[in-house]
Amino acid sequence: MIGLISATAAGAAARDRLAAAWPDRTRVYEGPVGDAVRAAFGQCEQLVCFLATGAVVRLVAPLLSGKTADPGVVCVDESGRFAVSLVGGHAGGGNELAREVGEVLGAEPVVTTATDAADLPGLDTLGLPVEGDVAGVSRALLDGEAVALRAEVAWPLPPLPVADEGAYTIRLTDRLVRAAEREVVLRPPSLVVGVGASKGAPAEEVLGLIEGVLREAGLSVASVAELATVDAKAGEPGIVEAARRLGVRLVTYSAGELAGVDVPNPSDAPLAAVGTPSVAEAAALVRGGELLVPKRKSAASPATATCAVVRRPGRGRLAVVGLGPGARDLLTPRAKVELRRAAVLVGLDQYVDQIRDLLRPGTRILESGLGAEEERARTAVEEARQGRAVALIGSGDAGVYAMASPALAEASDDIDVVGVPGVTAALAAGAILGAPLGHDHVSISLSDLHTPWEVIERRVRAAAEADIVVTFYNPRSRGRDWQLPKALGILAEHRAPTTPVGVVRNASRPDESARLTTLAALDPATVDMMTVVTVGNTATREVAGRMVTPRGYRWQEEPE
């Protein structure tokens, strides 16, 4: 919950705007400001104070207990110009809250945390338990000193400016180790503990077994991602309570699923009790991984709990990102987030140049030239399979004549794939021309490098006969100069010579050009690969210099 506190009418107006935008996230605190701040500080995860920063500093100073425990506090000035992250920038989420408040109120977020100012991800904001010299290693990253990354477990980290060797170290491990001097230890959630238990098994016995087994195996309890068991034990109090105390989720599988898992230590007892020869080992292994600790029984007599430990490698993450038609303000916020999240960027060199300034320090860039689409797709997928966070970029929408298809054709279910939509060339051109795509429409590429012309011609003819608005991609190049005239000729068999045609080159870019002509008047020689050509249907009209296709075929009555 976010506590909202104000002292003046102007502050209350901004406060109420925020409360209206986030009705389920916020609570307004009335009354004397000091009492309101103290109450909200103790009851809420975050605060937004519509007060002067000096006043808030004096009010919250006696309440502060530590950077990992304090709520995020944001101050908004009287005129609503700035949203200042004052306390709990990382652990309390104050920095992100300042940005969110700025979005709602039109205020400028002010974030002074050093890593944020330098556009580096904070080591304590990666979503992983962290130990060691966070301040020292962060300072080394900020100062450009050599910081080595020791990744003992593959995990999709965001970009970090790290080296093979250095006086400082970031160690990514699920092993039970202490952070050395000048070292930060990150704990990835790579361990799955499979658990079996008799009815009524005490939580202390289940938890003691898990913690003891991990300790003896030299594994960190902070890297446990989940407890896993059979469906029949989903409500077993001892297992449920152990998961709660560990702060991890409990996942369950059917006996049939577990029975199909090959395990080293099957047993007749669980087979008779719950229908599978293995619970602990099978539940840990059912989603794959390396069995680090085979089934172990608790020390109680008789033993009422068993567990096994599996390490699952971090799943790589491939974001296929559409950059839009070229203008920076048509690049979606989601695309920007994915570009900043990726440790590896793969793309066509000219597209990389468009967004190079958005990448965080430490991003590894793999760029290549025209004609290497399949190679880029394979490279991106292979990088993701190594457990990395990867962004594969394409222009327009990544799924429209772009990189999504070859990437997904290469990708299997061993990586996570995220599609990020973008504004296509057809949509960008359509907005420039007016509303040519107001009814059914189709996009057809006239490039026969990968598609036989016979197939392309059949599609053009079908669109012509169906009276569908057509946008031609890749309409004409130096080596392909006859396809566009041929396609226009097919459309002319079914549409009047006066049918409006829109021609847009470099849509949304600085050298953008657009013109409206007709099917009969269009000169194909004026078109190139940077152009999209949109041909209207029989209902499309030119209205006030704009190309308009009505939503239905009942067009406005023509004046007599």
Side-chain angles (χ1 to χ4, degrees):
M1 187 61 66
I2 303 172
L4 306 181
I5 301 103
S6 62
T8 66
R15 175 202 69 192
D16 291 345
R17 284 175 58 199
L18 200 60
W22 298 339
D24 299 326
R25 298 177 59 192
T26 56
R27 175 182 172 185
V28 174
Y29 284 79
E30 305 279 8
V33 170
D35 294 342
V37 169
R38 283 188 289 274
F41 198 94
Q43 297 170 1
C44 297
E45 291 80 22
Q46 297 175 320
L47 281 71
V48 180
C49 300
F50 297 85
L51 306 165
T53 54
V56 178
V57 167
R58 287 189 290 273
L59 289 170
V60 304
L63 309 175
L64 300 176
S65 61
K67 63 184 296 183
T68 61
D70 295 329
V73 179
V74 171
C75 291
V76 179
D77 65 290
E78 185 76 6
S79 60
R81 293 179 301 166
F82 303 104
V84 183
S85 177
L86 188 67
V87 172
H90 284 169
N95 294 349
E96 184 57 32
L97 180 60
R99 297 184 183 100
E100 290 186 85
V101 170
E103 287 277 340
V104 174
L105 301 181
E108 179 72 23
V110 179
V111 176
T112 58
T113 312
T115 50
D116 292 82
D119 203 21
L120 290 172
L123 296 175
D124 53 351
T125 67
L126 302 180
L128 304 179
V130 58
E131 306 164 14
D133 188 9
V134 175
V137 175
S138 297
R139 190 179 306 111
L141 289 170
L142 290 167
D143 291 344
E145 297 188 47
V147 177
L149 175 63
R150 302 277 186 263
E152 298 173 16
V153 179
W155 209 261
L157 293 176
L160 292 166
V162 293
D164 293 333
E165 301 292 337
Y168 294 82
T169 305
I170 298 171
R171 186 175 180 182
L172 184 69
T173 183
D174 55 18
R175 292 288 176 185
L176 187 60
V177 296
R178 289 183 178 274
E181 186 179 358
R182 295 185 174 185
E183 182 177 71
V184 161
V185 175
L186 297 174
R187 304 288 189 190
S190 54
L191 304 178
V192 177
V193 179
V195 181
S198 301
K199 185 176 181 179
E204 289 73 15
E205 183 175 344
V206 176
L207 187 61
L209 172 64
I210 293 170
E211 292 178 336
V213 163
L214 290 170
R215 185 169 52 251
E216 290 175 17
L219 299 170
S220 172
V221 70
S223 282
V224 175
E226 62 190 35
L227 300 190
T229 191
V230 66
D231 283 347
K233 297 296 179 179
E236 185 63 44
I239 296 177
V240 172
E241 178 63 14
R244 188 192 69 79
R245 293 189 195 178
L246 289 171
V248 300
R249 63 177 183 161
L250 174 64
V251 297
T252 64
Y253 303 98
S254 71
E257 286 182 280
L258 299 187
V261 179
D262 186 25
V263 298
N265 299 293
S267 172
D268 292 335
L271 180 61
V274 294
T276 173
S278 172
V279 173
E281 289 179 339
L285 284 167
V286 67
R287 295 291 178 250
E290 176 190 2
L291 183 63
L292 300 180
V293 182
K295 181 177 68 176
R296 293 278 300 277
K297 293 182 179 180
S298 56
S301 182
T304 62
T306 60
C307 80
V309 184
V310 163
R311 175 185 288 138
R312 289 184 190 165
R315 287 175 64 86
R317 189 175 190 277
L318 174 61
V320 188
V321 181
L323 301 181
R328 178 58 59 84
D329 59 354
L330 291 181
L331 178 68
T332 67
R334 186 179 300 180
K336 293 178 183 178
V337 168
E338 291 295 345
L339 292 174
R340 291 168 55 78
R341 178 175 181 167
V344 181
L345 182 88
V346 182
L348 179 67
D349 46 14
Q350 64 189 59
Y351 297 153
V352 172
D353 289 341
Q354 289 180 21
I355 47 83
R356 196 182 296 271
D357 63 300
L358 296 178
L359 305 178
R360 276 180 155 159
T363 305
R364 185 157 57 94
I365 300 173
L366 304 176
E367 54 188 319
S368 53
L370 287 169
E373 288 80 8
E374 293 181 356
E375 177 187 342
R376 284 194 291 274
R378 284 193 294 269
T379 297
V381 170
E382 184 55 35
E383 289 287 331
R385 284 185 176 140
Q386 300 303 312
R388 302 185 179 105
V390 183
L392 174 63
I393 60 173
S395 66
D397 180 275
V400 180
Y401 304 120
M403 294 305 303
S405 293
L408 268 63
E410 291 285 337
S412 52
D413 62 359
D414 57 345
I415 63 173
D416 296 324
V417 179
V418 178
V420 182
V423 179
T424 70
L427 296 179
I432 294 165
L433 295 170
L437 309 182
H439 204 282
D440 297 337
H441 54 274
V442 64
S443 295
I444 299 176
S445 171
L446 295 183
S447 172
D448 55 1
L449 296 178
H450 299 288
T451 305
W453 174 253
E454 293 75 15
V455 174
I456 297 172
E457 182 174 342
R458 187 164 63 247
R459 292 170 178 172
V460 174
R461 195 170 299 281
E465 293 173 353
D467 199 26
I468 296 176
V469 175
V470 181
T471 296
F472 289 124
Y473 279 69
N474 305 314
R476 185 176 181 273
S477 67
R478 291 178 181 177
R480 296 185 301 99
D481 57 2
W482 59 267
Q483 288 89 343
L484 179 59
K486 178 67 174 178
L488 295 174
I490 295 171
L491 292 177
E493 296 173 10
H494 300 270
R495 302 180 193 183
T498 56
T499 299
V501 176
V503 181
V504 180
R505 187 177 189 278
N506 283 334
S508 86
R509 299 183 183 184
D511 56 346
E512 167 191 297
S513 64
R515 56 194 170 91
L516 194 57
T517 182
T518 65
L519 188 56
L522 175 61
D523 180 4
T526 62
V527 173
D528 62 12
M529 285 288 286
M530 304 304 293
T531 306
V532 289
V533 177
T534 301
V535 182
N537 64 17
T538 57
T540 305
R541 298 287 188 273
E542 179 181 343
V543 181
R546 303 180 185 92
M547 187 176 177
V548 180
T549 302
R551 292 178 61 186
Y553 272 79
R554 294 180 179 176
W555 188 248
Q556 296 174 342
E557 292 184 4
E558 297 289 347
E560 296 183 0

